[in-house]
Amino acid sequence: MSTTVSGKSGTWRNWAGNVTARPVREVAPASVEELSAAVRKAADDGLRVKAVGTGHSFTAAAATDGVLIRPQLLTGIRNIDRGAGTVTVEAGTPLKRLNVALAREGLSLTNMGDIMEQTVSGATSTGTHGTGRDSASIAAQIKGLELVTADGSLLSCSEEENLDVFAAARVGIGALGIVTAITFSVEPIFLLTAREEPMTFDKVTADFDELFTENEHFEFYWFPHTGNCNTKRNNRSAGPERPIGQIAGWIEDEFLSNGVFQVANLVGRAAPTTIPTIAKISSRALSARTYTDIPYKVFTSPRRVRFVEMEYAVPREALVETLRELKTMVDRSSLRVSFPVEVRTAPADDIALSTASGRESAYIAVHMFRGTPYQAYFTAAERIFTAHEGRPHWGKVHTRDAEYFSKVYPRFGEFTALRDRLDPDRRFGNDYLRRVLGS
C-alpha cells in the first residue's frame, strides 16, 4: 500500500538546502495505479502535484505547495532485453542502484554524469549529463518512457509511439507528467582507462580542440585564482582492469577531494582572504594517475562537500573564449571562489529542451561552497554565459525566463504547445515552471 503523510508539518528541502517547500500532503505510491489515483485525487482537491527525486536540483523544479509524490517505492529493474540492448527501470530507482545492477548483469549505460545519487527520472528530466565527444546525456540514451498525465492516465512514448511526446518528455522538467518508468539503451560492459593529470589553464585552452578530438571523454577543472587545471581523459580500453588501490583511492577521493576539501572550504568561508592561497595548494594536491575500471567506477565520484551550482551550455566553438572571459572576470574582481570550475562537452541531440538540443555543446559549471554568498559570482558568470547564447541546466541555479528560452531553444514553442495539450490546467505546474516556460 502507498503511504500518505497528511498535514502541513512536513517541510521538504533539497540537497543543497537552498530550496524548501511545504506541501499539503506527501504520497509514496507503491504502484503506477496508486500514483494515477494520487494525481486524480489532487485534481479533485484542486491541488497541484510534483514528484521529487533525491533533491539534487538546485532550482525549485520539484517544489510544490500541493501534493508531493515520493517515488522511493517505485524502484528496480522491470525488464532487460538483451536482444534489443535495453533495460526498463522504475522511475524512482537511484542511478547508483541501476549502475550496480547493470554491472552485475554484464551491462552498462554508454555515458553518465559524475554523480549517481539522483533518481533516474530526476536526472533525465533535468538533462543531467557527463562529458563525451560522441556519446550524449543520460536522457539521450532513453529509448522509451511512460508517464502519468494530468488526468491520471498512463501514456507510453518512444520512437514508435507518441513521437511528439517522446521528443520532449525525455527532458520534461516535470512539466508534462510524472515519469513512472524509463527504457534505456545499454551495452555490454566495457573498460575505461582514465588518465588524470595537472595542466596549466593556458595549455588546456590552447590545446582544447585537440584534447577534445583525441579523447572519447575529456573534462577538466580550473581552480579560480590560479593558472592551474586538473584534466581527465576517459577512453575505452582492452584492459586489463587496473582499479585505483584502496589506500590510494581513499587518499585522493575521500581524504583530499572530500575531507581536506571540506576543511579548506570551511576555512575559506570563515576567512575569505585565505581562499587564493588555499586554491593554489588545492590545485596542486591531486597528482597525475592512470587507472582502468568498469564505466561507473570511472565516470562517477563521491561528492560529499555540499555546494550550490550554476551550469551553462554554450556552443562548443565558444567554449575557450567564454572560459577566458570568466577567468578575466574573476581575476579582476574581489570575488573569492574556493570551488573549481568544471568543463565538459556533449554532442548535439534531438530532444526539444535538452541543453545540447541541435548544437554541439560545452558546459561550464561554477560552484560555491554551501553557506557562502554566491549571488555576486553567479550573476557575473551568468552575464558572460548568456552573451554566448548559453542554456542553463534545468536543475541548477539561474535567473532566465521563458522569454529568454524562446530565443535560445529553436523548439521551445513545440514543448510549450505539448504542455498545453497534456496539462492544460497546470496540474504539474509550480512557480519555477511558470518562470521558465511561461504561464
Side-chain angles (χ1 to χ4, degrees):
M1 276 301 292
S2 65
T3 50
T4 304
V5 188
S6 298
K8 283 219 173 207
S9 55
T11 298
W12 174 82
R13 264 185 191 78
N14 68 339
W15 179 82
N18 67 320
V19 177
T20 56
R22 292 183 69 86
V24 172
R25 63 175 177 259
E26 293 186 14
V27 183
S31 66
V32 174
E33 292 72 30
E34 286 180 8
L35 174 56
S36 294
V39 171
R40 284 194 293 269
K41 178 151 177 37
D44 292 343
D45 297 342
L47 296 171
R48 296 190 293 186
V49 192
K50 292 308 289 179
V52 297
T54 51
H56 247 275
S57 286
F58 301 91
T59 61
T64 188
D65 52 8
V67 178
L68 191 74
I69 304 284
R70 291 192 178 270
Q72 67 255 31
L73 301 178
L74 298 172
T75 62
I77 289 177
R78 267 194 205 176
N79 178 47
I80 293 174
D81 184 337
R82 289 176 189 275
T86 61
V87 58
T88 301
V89 60
E90 303 273 345
T93 310
L95 283 168
K96 185 190 284 175
R97 277 182 51 195
L98 173 64
N99 286 334
V100 171
L102 286 175
R104 212 178 289 132
E105 296 284 345
L107 299 167
S108 176
L109 292 168
T110 299
N111 198 358
M112 55 193 83
D114 57 3
I115 296 177
M116 53 176 183
E117 305 305 315
Q118 313 99 312
T119 60
V120 292
S121 57
T124 54
S125 294
T126 53
T128 296
H129 60 91
T131 190
R133 182 189 60 204
D134 316 302
S135 53
S137 71
I138 309 180
Q141 296 168 66
I142 294 178
K143 287 289 176 208
L145 56 81
E146 138 191 317
L147 67 165
V148 169
T149 55
D151 62 2
S153 62
L154 192 65
L155 183 72
S156 294
C157 62
S158 66
E159 283 164 353
E160 283 78 47
E161 60 176 332
N162 297 308
L163 183 59
D164 57 338
V165 180
F166 184 67
R170 285 171 286 168
V171 178
I173 341 169
L176 304 175
I178 296 177
V179 175
T180 51
I182 299 174
T183 299
F184 289 105
S185 173
V186 289
E187 58 175 304
I189 203 160
F190 52 94
L191 292 173
L192 285 170
T193 292
R195 183 170 148 208
E196 297 174 12
E197 65 173 332
M199 201 177 279
T200 65
F201 180 89
D202 291 341
K203 183 161 175 56
V204 175
T205 49
D207 297 351
F208 176 73
D209 283 338
E210 201 177 311
L211 288 161
F212 166 80
T213 307
E214 287 175 2
N215 296 283
E216 290 170 65
H217 308 273
F218 177 68
E219 65 186 298
F220 67 93
Y221 295 85
W222 162 59
F223 293 81
H225 313 297
T226 79
N228 303 330
C229 294
N230 210 29
T231 63
K232 185 174 182 181
R233 310 157 210 219
N234 298 331
N235 290 291
R236 295 204 181 203
S237 161
E241 262 184 67
R242 284 210 179 88
I244 300 167
Q246 256 184 317
I247 294 170
W250 183 83
I251 290 171
E252 296 258 329
D253 299 325
E254 288 299 338
F255 183 64
L256 292 174
S257 298
N258 285 299
V260 173
F261 191 54
Q262 170 89 10
V263 174
N265 274 283
L266 289 166
V267 171
R269 187 167 73 185
T273 51
T274 62
I275 286 176
T277 308
I278 291 171
K280 286 182 178 69
I281 297 165
S282 293
S283 69
R284 296 204 185 100
L286 298 170
S287 51
R289 63 179 182 176
T290 301
Y291 51 96
T292 301
D293 215 328
I294 59 173
Y296 82 85
K297 294 186 178 178
V298 174
F299 283 133
T300 71
S301 45
R303 293 271 189 277
R304 303 195 211 290
V305 182
R306 301 214 173 194
F307 52 83
V308 179
E309 180 178 358
M310 167 184 279
E311 181 183 62
Y312 267 75
V314 296
R316 192 177 64 77
E317 62 275 14
L319 169 73
V320 172
E321 189 188 338
T322 309
L323 206 55
R324 284 179 179 150
E325 286 171 20
L326 185 70
K327 185 176 189 299
T328 301
M329 180 274 289
V330 171
D331 289 348
R332 288 180 182 168
S333 73
S334 57
L335 293 167
R336 292 293 172 258
V337 182
S338 63
F339 247 88
V341 172
E342 184 179 22
V343 179
R344 294 176 288 175
T345 66
D349 64 40
D350 64 347
I351 306 169
L353 293 190
S354 161
T355 44
S357 182
R359 76 180 188 195
E360 217 174 315
S361 301
Y363 295 91
I364 304 175
V366 296
H367 311 70
M368 278 295 236
F369 184 48
R370 186 166 85 166
T372 311
Y374 60 84
Q375 281 81 359
Y377 176 37
F378 284 13
T379 301
E382 192 171 39
R383 203 172 289 136
I384 292 167
F385 300 150
T386 53
H388 292 280
E389 298 196 342
R391 299 168 176 171
H393 187 301
W394 296 109
K396 296 174 187 177
V397 177
H398 67 88
T399 66
R400 303 296 89 192
D401 60 15
E403 189 188 355
Y404 178 84
F405 290 125
S406 67
K407 295 189 185 89
V408 296
Y409 282 103
R411 297 170 65 183
F412 187 75
E414 177 190 322
F415 187 96
T416 54
L418 183 66
R419 182 189 185 209
D420 289 341
R421 195 184 93 210
L422 291 180
D423 188 14
D425 302 327
R426 304 295 184 253
R427 185 67 49 222
F428 302 115
N430 62 10
D431 295 346
Y432 177 72
L433 290 179
R434 186 180 306 118
R435 169 163 74 90
V436 300
L437 297 177
S439 50

